[in-house]
């Protein structure tokens, strides 16, 4: 089946630093999404990407849909303590098909 | 917009009993809803895909007679864990997607503990 490789698994950074995480896939996806999950909560959608090569920003977050459609990255600039959480990438083939999730990147921000 | 709720947020039940979890899309109609379970420090594992008015499609290894899914309306899907056992204890999360949108929006999750 389809799998997503997400890295790094965890990160410890100083407040104010920039963060980068990425996902790669063995197969093509038509949509890439990035979610953030806080402990005991459901994932919250951060950014959705629909076109190969697309670069989209949401505040301090920037994500890109790789031109091969097999990868995506998420950058967080000037990290703050509330950025702490688990970030998941997800790929979707089309329409209402299930998401394929990466294993998550656990981000810790040291004030 | 795009709010999904789940009820209850947590539940404790005795082994052998059944538990029903509701998932509602509050401000949009969801033609498709998905049910996931998540173990501590792990990613989300898809259990089943539910389309309004039709039978759910279960992932391999998920017992359809144990995890009953009903998607009776465009705003409500339910997951019933029947004859629950301690190993069913987990965090259950639903997501909902409108037919014309690509984004899936997730509920806040339900923590099930079976004693």
């Amino acid at each position: 089946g389809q799998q997503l490789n997400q890295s790094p698994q965890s990160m410890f950074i100083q407040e104010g630093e920039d963060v980068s995480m990425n996902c790669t896939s063995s197969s093509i996806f038509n949509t890439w999404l990035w979610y953030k999950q806080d402990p005991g909560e459901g994932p919250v959608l951060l950014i959705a990407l629909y076109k190969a090569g697309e670069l989209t920003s949401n505040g301090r977050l920037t994500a890109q849909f790789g031109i091969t459609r097999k990868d995506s990255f998420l950058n967080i600039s000037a990290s703050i303590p509330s950025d702490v959480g688990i970030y998941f990438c997800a790929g979707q083939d089309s329409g209402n098909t299930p998401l394929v999730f990466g294993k998550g990147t656990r981000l810790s921000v040291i004030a | 917009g795009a709010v999904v709720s789940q009820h209850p947020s947590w539940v404790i039940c005795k082994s052998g009993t059944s538990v029903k979890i509701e998932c509602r899309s509050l401000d949009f109609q969801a033609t498709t809803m998905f049910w996931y379970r998540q173990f501590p420090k792990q990613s989300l594992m898809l259990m089943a895909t539910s389309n309004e008015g039709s039978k759910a499609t279960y992932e391999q290894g998920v017992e359809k007679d144990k995890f009953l899914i009903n998607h009776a309306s465009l705003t409500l899907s339910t997951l019933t864990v029947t004859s629950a056992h301690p190993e069913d204890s987990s965090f259950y999360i639903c997501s909902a997607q409108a037919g014309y949108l690509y984004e899936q929006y997730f509920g806040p999750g339900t923590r099930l503990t079976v004693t």
Side-chain angles (χ1 to χ4, degrees):
Chain A
Q2 294 172 312
Q3 290 186 330
L4 293 185
N5 297 309
Q6 185 172 350
S7 63
Q9 278 189 324
S10 61
M11 303 179 73
F12 289 85
I13 62 169
Q14 293 280 350
E15 183 177 359
E17 288 184 349
D18 297 342
V19 174
S20 185
M21 59 192 78
N22 70 83
C23 270
T24 59
S25 169
S26 57
S27 56
I28 290 172
F29 286 106
N30 290 308
T31 302
W32 282 90
L33 306 108
W34 287 91
Y35 290 87
K36 179 183 181 228
Q37 187 178 28
D38 291 326
E41 302 284 337
V44 174
L45 181 65
L46 299 175
I47 292 179
L49 302 158
Y50 304 110
K51 293 181 184 177
E54 179 181 357
L55 183 71
T56 297
S57 293
N58 178 7
R60 293 179 295 107
L61 278 60
T62 302
Q64 183 157 33
F65 191 152
I67 57 173
T68 65
R69 293 195 283 161
K70 291 184 178 181
D71 63 298
S72 177
F73 72 74
L74 174 70
N75 288 341
I76 304 173
S77 62
S79 59
I80 58 178
S82 61
D83 290 334
V84 166
I86 303 176
Y87 292 80
F88 290 101
C89 63
Q92 188 176 35
D93 281 335
S94 63
N96 293 353
T97 56
L99 299 178
V100 178
F101 279 91
K103 293 189 175 182
T105 296
R106 185 179 296 272
L107 178 63
S108 300
V109 179
I110 304 167
Chain B
V3 178
V4 178
S5 70
Q6 276 184 246
H7 177 80
S9 54
W10 59 270
V11 57
I12 301 173
C13 70
K14 291 187 177 180
S15 188
T17 61
S18 295
V19 174
K20 180 185 284 188
I21 302 170
E22 292 185 349
C23 176
R24 293 182 186 272
S25 56
L26 298 185
D27 52 1
F28 67 100
Q29 293 187 326
T31 54
T32 306
M33 288 184 169
F34 303 88
W35 286 95
Y36 298 83
R37 66 187 297 183
Q38 185 179 33
F39 293 106
K41 297 187 178 181
Q42 293 191 21
S43 189
L44 286 77
M45 183 184 77
L46 179 68
M47 298 176 67
T49 301
S50 166
N51 289 299
E52 185 264 340
S54 61
K55 290 184 178 180
T57 301
Y58 290 80
E59 293 300 298
Q60 192 172 11
V62 178
E63 301 174 58
K64 61 181 181 181
D65 294 330
K66 179 168 184 61
F67 298 99
L68 300 178
I69 292 172
N70 187 318
H71 191 163
S73 77
L74 286 172
T75 59
L76 173 64
S77 177
T78 60
L79 167 67
T80 301
V81 183
T82 62
S83 186
H85 291 285
E87 56 265 32
D88 298 326
S89 299
S90 188
F91 193 52
Y92 292 86
I93 311 174
C94 71
S95 70
Q97 184 169 358
Y100 57 92
L101 289 174
Y102 284 101
E103 296 94 345
Q104 284 186 27
Y105 292 92
F106 285 82
T110 297
R111 168 94 36 213
L112 170 64
T113 302
V114 184
T115 60

